[in-house]
Amino acid sequence: MTGIPKTQYAQIFEKTGGPIQYREIPVQAPGPDEILVNVKYSGVCHTDLHAWKGDWPLDTKLPLVGGHEGAGVVVAKGDQVTNFEIGDYAGVKWLNGSCLSCEFCINGYEPNCPHALLSGYTVDGSFQQYAIAKAIHAAPIPKGTDLAKIAPILCAGITVYKALKESDAKPGQWVAITGAGGGLGTLAIQYAKAMGLRVLGIDTGDVKSKMTQSLGAEVFIDFATTPDIVAEVIKVTNGGPHAVINVAVAEKPFEMSCKYVRPRGTVVVVGLPAHAYVKSEVFSTVVKSITIKGSYVGNRADTDEAIDFFSRGLVESPIRIVGLSELPKVFELMEKGEIAGRYVLDTSK
Ligand code: 8ID
Ligand code: ZN
């Protein structure tokens, strides 16, 4: 590993919800099937905030370096690695690795692998200058790509693209997106447009209203000021959206979406608010014959396809770049719901 420093800057926490420390830690060497990525930029996903807060019924490793939207350059690789060369661009995504041999991996459902390794959760992630990823799952990024701009595609982009495919919505049909002004939402609008769908965005505030409409939402509904959201959604979509992509970090929108979704429509559950349930009244679930389904990131094919939409200029996350040292401030803004689009960390600062 010539030319690679022994230590590097990282954002690390020792305790769930404890202080997040910006300090130097050792650079690890990749194992035989791994690559070492010099992360240039990393998006900050709300999942990183959930991980730090301990919101979910799944423990993180501790101490933990979070982050799973890392875009960078391969600087070292194990001797079994054949799909990356030194100098290639690579993405460190949520699904860091999987067994590749279980029933789920074999069928392309790699995120559901019981042995999945999760970047920034069960293994250290991209809030550091040098991160390790299993080569087989790392995202190949075309040379010449703007690494700051592609970072959010590595989780937010893949996830919403997959969720839209899972929704089975057809070109010309309506899709509602809850949490439309956030990191996942702003990309969901653009993938949906590119797939020929009509988009209704639900979120709050003038900034998110303007942003979502400039990205292609035909209608914006403000959840904080609209008295009867369900009635309004049904009215503007002339009978309810054919699909709903729920990326809001709140429980209420899930329940509402089961009420306003069009008969035979699909409610896709993507957002992961703490301790939340999806509640749908049985009678109307049956009589409207709706589908409620969970969607969890994407597999390697979804990754390549989601990146291809980006490379062809069809989607671009509205990003704001700040230094890696600013992560705690980004979490504060995210907690308050004040981030429109995505914050991306520059690991050199
Ligand atoms: O694979 C998956 N299923 C997956 C992948 C990646 C992320 C799931 N996630 C989850 C995250 O863990 C998080 O719970 O998706 C959720 C959204 O992540 P994000 O887009 O990174 O979060 P954000 O940028 O904070 O955006 C959330 C938006 O929701 C809005 C907020 O205003 C914000 O713009 N929102 C809230 I909070 N309550 C709302 C409501 N009642 C709402 N929008 C509509 N109605
Ligand atoms: Zn994420």
Side-chain angles (χ1 to χ4, degrees):
M1 301 214 303
T2 45
I4 300 165
K6 294 226 162 9
T7 62
Q8 55 154 341
Y9 276 96
Q11 288 283 10
I12 184 162
F13 59 88
E14 314 256 332
K15 237 176 59 187
T16 304
I20 303 170
Q21 299 165 5
Y22 180 59
R23 61 176 164 88
E24 280 187 78
I25 62 166
V27 174
Q28 306 288 333
D33 59 344
E34 293 172 341
I35 54 174
L36 181 67
V37 180
N38 176 202
V39 177
K40 301 291 187 193
Y41 295 95
S42 177
V44 183
C45 177
H46 208 113
T47 290
D48 300 310
L49 180 55
H50 292 303
W52 174 62
K53 287 167 65 185
D55 277 346
W56 300 337
L58 177 68
D59 289 339
T60 67
K61 88 177 257 293
L62 286 173
L64 180 70
V65 175
H68 57 275
E69 287 184 348
V73 183
V74 178
V75 291
K77 60 177 208 161
D79 41 352
Q80 291 171 8
V81 175
T82 53
N83 61 330
F84 281 101
E85 297 303 330
I86 307 297
D88 283 352
Y89 284 5
V92 179
K93 55 189 186 53
W94 176 248
L95 197 60
N96 189 290
S98 73
C99 81
L100 302 174
S101 57
C102 71
E103 159 196 351
F104 304 101
C105 285
I106 287 172
N107 286 294
Y109 306 123
E110 297 146 11
N112 307 109
C113 172
H115 307 292
L117 302 174
L118 311 174
S119 303
Y121 207 94
T122 62
V123 296
D124 284 344
S126 55
F127 295 159
Q128 56 183 340
Q129 293 172 310
Y130 293 88
I132 285 179
K134 295 286 180 196
I136 234 51
H137 271 289
I141 298 175
K143 274 265 170 71
T145 298
D146 182 322
L147 291 173
K149 286 185 176 170
I150 200 170
I153 304 299
L154 298 168
C155 172
I158 296 166
T159 301
V160 298
Y161 170 63
K162 174 68 166 188
L164 284 159
K165 287 208 289 187
E166 290 281 330
S167 81
D168 288 329
K170 305 283 181 301
Q173 294 186 334
W174 278 102
V175 60
I177 297 165
T178 74
L184 268 64
T186 47
L187 277 166
I189 294 167
Q190 299 169 73
Y191 278 102
K193 280 284 284 185
M195 292 159 93
L197 303 171
R198 303 183 69 181
V199 179
L200 159 69
I202 307 174
D203 211 309
T204 190
D206 284 346
V207 174
K208 290 178 184 174
S209 168
K210 284 203 188 83
M211 184 180 275
T212 53
Q213 290 178 86
S214 74
L215 295 174
E218 276 179 59
V219 188
F220 179 82
I221 291 178
D222 192 317
F223 73 80
T225 58
T226 306
D228 187 343
I229 296 171
V230 171
E232 188 63 18
V233 172
I234 292 173
K235 191 177 102 194
V236 297
T237 55
N238 194 23
H242 302 78
V244 188
I245 306 295
N246 277 295
V247 292
V249 190
E251 188 175 45
K252 197 80 191 151
F254 291 89
E255 183 179 346
M256 277 186 198
S257 65
C258 296
K259 290 186 179 155
Y260 60 61
V261 71
R262 208 177 190 89
R264 308 242 20 118
T266 302
V267 169
V268 189
V269 179
V270 180
L272 291 157
H275 316 294
Y277 287 81
V278 186
K279 208 168 134 200
S280 185
E281 191 242 335
V282 168
F283 183 80
S284 57
T285 303
V286 172
V287 171
K288 282 171 64 182
S289 309
I290 65 171
T291 300
I292 302 169
K293 62 166 37 163
S295 185
Y296 184 34
V297 285
N299 65 16
R300 287 171 291 164
D302 301 316
T303 300
D304 290 349
E305 290 165 26
I307 289 176
D308 191 53
F309 274 72
F310 169 83
S311 299
R312 287 185 290 133
L314 296 169
V315 301
E316 185 174 322
S317 179
I319 58 167
R320 204 143 150 197
I321 303 175
V322 298
L324 175 62
S325 60
E326 313 261 333
L327 177 65
K329 278 190 218 152
V330 177
F331 276 172
E332 256 173 59
L333 290 171
M334 187 173 263
E335 181 74 55
K336 290 193 232 152
E338 283 175 11
I339 296 181
R342 200 48 132 201
Y343 270 66
V344 169
L345 308 176
D346 175 345
T347 64
S348 71
K349 291 179 192 155

